Amino acid sequence: MQSFVYNALPGRVIFGTGTISTLKAEIERAGCKRALLLSTPEQAPALKDIAASIGPLAAGIFSQAAMHTPTDVTERALQAAKDCGADCTVAFGGGSSTGLGKAIALRTDLPQIAIPTTYAGSEMTPIIGETEGGKKITQRTLKVLPEIVIYDVDFTLTLPPRLTVTSGTNAIAHAVEALYAQDRNPVISMMAEQAIAAMGRALPAIVTNPQDREARAEALYGAWLCGVCLGSVGMALHHKLCHVVGGSFNLPHADTHTVILPYAMAYNAKAAPEADQAVARALGGRNGTQALVDLAKKLDSPNSLKSIGMAESDIDRAADLAVQNPYWNPRPIERGPIRDLIANAWAGNIKNYA
């Protein structure tokens, strides 16, 4: 067996159905008395219900979280935290809400409680990506890792099928990349394969019946594992491309991960054969790339950057940005092949590319 280093991340997880009922006790357990509740505008009504359920522990509400964590939104949230005297934050929603909680923690060290309603997985990572001036900058620090995460299956039942698919595929991408990351290890690789398999079973079942509680629970469990994988090892080509394309051109976060995933897998397949085999085992395919393509077809996922809003004229700029300060990757990052990857992903040419 290869030598490796495994760093376990701290954190408390409450998983199940109806677990939102523990929020008041968890805030108190953390030694906090004045929580600032965070969400996107779309989730504001649910956030108000949560605020009512914890009474005076809800010191304020900020429901303007936005995709890619823009720094101007963070500044407004910081002022809201100051105005209400918050001693912790409660982020309710997907990656946008969790990202805002992380951005506040980065600047204030306020404890965080995350209540995920999608399969983004960022609640389990010490990673934050922020956008300013059209660029997305990512950093890793334990300051942004939420101390408490409450997974409540009930909140995922209303997640629309399409968003379920892209959010779940985004989660799969975290686990896939953990299989070929520079600091991968047997513990995380085992977890990653199980996570991919769980999502691969759950997502088709949810598309067939969005109210399937068992499938929803398995998907949320898989997303949790995928998030742990991303948080425990480094990132590589897939996340670099998604940060560049999504952050620079303001494309939907989960959709971008969904489109890029098989192309990044194909790019790295020969350089990371064990990862390719693990993905194939988890999803029941002849190779990792084909298994991901087959799952995407089954789920009717978005399959091109063009279809999610990227202009063809942006391909060259995206390639230039992707080779600047590249993340470690098992295959060298070279502009020609990377431009080819992005161009094929823009057109949806996975059949010809892989």
Side-chain angles (χ1 to χ4, degrees):
M1 180 179 290
Q2 68 178 52
S3 299
F4 64 90
V5 174
Y6 170 65
N7 287 310
L9 296 175
R12 175 175 168 83
V13 172
I14 297 93
F15 187 100
T17 297
T19 49
I20 188 63
S21 63
T22 68
L23 177 58
K24 183 175 184 294
E26 291 300 321
I27 294 173
E28 293 171 338
R29 187 177 187 277
C32 299
K33 297 179 179 179
R34 299 185 61 79
L36 174 64
L37 278 58
L38 309 170
S39 78
T40 61
E42 295 77 12
Q43 293 158 322
L47 196 66
K48 290 180 180 177
D49 290 341
I50 292 173
S53 74
I54 61 174
L57 291 178
I61 290 177
F62 184 88
S63 56
Q64 299 171 42
M67 185 172 61
H68 302 304
T69 318
T71 55
D72 60 320
V73 174
T74 299
E75 290 303 317
R76 296 200 299 273
L78 285 168
Q79 186 60 52
K82 182 178 179 181
D83 290 345
C84 72
D87 58 6
C88 69
T89 63
V90 174
F92 175 79
S96 297
S97 301
T98 303
L100 181 57
K102 289 182 172 185
I104 293 171
L106 181 66
R107 293 160 174 80
T108 65
D109 282 327
L110 288 181
Q112 304 173 73
I113 297 175
I115 307 170
T117 62
T118 70
Y119 307 125
S122 59
E123 68 279 354
M124 297 307 299
T125 78
I127 301 165
I128 180 171
E130 300 180 278
T131 50
E132 184 173 13
K135 289 186 177 181
K136 189 166 187 175
I137 298 174
T138 302
Q139 62 176 299
R140 177 184 289 261
T141 169
L142 284 175
K143 288 181 69 175
V144 304
L145 180 68
E147 285 79 3
I148 301 167
V149 179
I150 299 174
Y151 288 105
D152 191 330
V153 176
D154 288 345
F155 286 123
T156 66
L157 293 174
T158 56
L159 191 65
R162 188 183 186 282
L163 186 52
T164 293
V165 165
T166 55
S167 180
T169 306
N170 178 21
I172 290 173
H174 302 332
V176 169
E177 190 146 89
L179 290 166
Y180 58 72
Q182 185 176 23
D183 48 357
R184 65 191 180 279
N185 62 72
V187 176
I188 293 300
S189 293
M190 175 180 63
M191 192 178 295
E193 189 168 336
Q194 181 178 357
I196 296 167
M199 297 302 291
R201 289 188 299 268
L203 292 177
I206 294 170
V207 169
T208 300
N209 177 14
Q211 296 299 308
D212 186 334
R213 283 182 173 270
E214 286 300 316
R216 287 287 187 182
E218 185 167 38
L220 196 58
Y221 169 72
W224 170 21
L225 296 186
C226 289
V228 172
C229 292
L230 175 64
S232 300
V233 298
M235 295 182 288
L237 174 66
H238 173 89
H239 280 84
K240 175 65 176 183
L241 288 174
C242 291
H243 291 161
V244 164
V245 173
S248 300
F249 308 112
N250 199 36
L251 302 182
H253 178 82
D255 295 56
T256 303
H257 280 268
T258 298
V259 172
I260 290 291
L261 179 56
Y263 294 90
M265 183 79 257
Y267 186 95
N268 284 325
K270 291 183 179 178
E274 292 181 357
D276 184 79
Q277 293 163 13
V279 175
R281 283 195 304 271
L283 295 177
R286 72 172 187 269
N287 60 59
T289 300
Q290 190 59 52
L292 291 169
V293 170
D294 290 345
L295 179 63
K297 287 181 179 178
K298 187 183 297 184
L299 300 175
D300 194 24
S301 305
N303 62 3
S304 71
L305 294 175
K306 178 182 180 180
S307 70
I308 62 172
M310 182 175 170
E312 187 174 12
S313 58
D314 289 330
I315 292 174
D316 281 301
R317 181 170 174 240
D320 290 338
L321 292 171
V323 297
Q324 295 175 12
N325 304 312
Y327 300 167
W328 181 92
N329 194 64
R331 175 182 168 184
I333 304 297
E334 300 170 333
R335 191 191 183 282
I338 290 299
R339 190 201 183 279
D340 186 44
L341 184 163
I342 296 171
N344 277 284
W346 181 84
N349 286 332
I350 187 62
K351 183 176 180 180
N352 296 329
Y353 178 76

